[in-house]
Amino acid sequence: SGLLLKAISQAALIKATGNNGINFITDSESTDAGSLSLSSGKDVGVSADATVQLSASSGVAVVSSEATSFGSKGTIGFSVSESGGAVDVAADVLVAKTAGAIISGSKDVTVESGGSTVLSSSNTPSGSGSIVLSAVTSSGEVNDNGKVGIKAGGLLEASASSANIQAIGEAGIALVT
């Protein structure tokens, strides 16, 4: 119970044999509370047979001067429990490589771009993938009150080797200039 505990050794092992484990604590109730630092000239490994959890009352930051990766045999989730909270991903380029991707929201979902927004699909070597824009219910059924809108401030251009436009309601198809 002094001002400083200093231990120097070529190697060190701290092992807890009881259920209480090992706790490193800085006094959060003191006005001169310090931080807890863990550093190494090489790697720092953190592992557990159960869960590894990082928590803080004012944020957690993962910072690296090189590439940073997160890997899991299960799911990696980012969530915000606070109402109005957000998960922000900021990068010059965002690349997602998956067998499939789902973007869903209980409210509106918006995709915005300062430049072009391109949707493309090619699921076979011949490139016969398809892109479907539809208004459906949460169970995947066609939403009779749904609407798919395509708007262009300038030119709306569509080209294909063939085209099918079909109206299944009584209103038919209206082309208006």
Side-chain angles (χ1 to χ4, degrees), residues 22-27 33-39:
I22 299 170
N23 294 304
F24 295 102
I25 299 170
T26 58
D27 187 1
S35 297
L36 176 63
S37 297
L38 181 63
S39 65

Side-chain angles (χ1 to χ4, degrees), residues 53-134:
Q53 179 176 332
L54 299 175
S55 63
S57 59
S58 59
V60 175
V62 176
V63 180
S64 173
S65 60
E66 299 291 329
T68 302
S69 63
F70 294 91
S72 174
K73 292 181 180 178
T75 300
I76 296 176
F78 296 98
S79 64
V80 178
S81 60
E82 184 177 311
S83 177
V87 175
D88 292 331
V89 178
D92 288 340
V93 176
L94 176 62
V95 177
K97 296 178 182 178
T98 67
I102 297 171
I103 300 173
S104 64
S106 60
K107 296 185 179 179
D108 295 340
V109 175
T110 303
V111 177
E112 295 179 357
S113 173
S116 298
T117 300
V118 177
L119 299 176
S120 64
S121 176
S122 176
N123 63 354
T124 64
S126 63
S128 63
S130 60
I131 296 174
V132 177
L133 301 176
S134 62

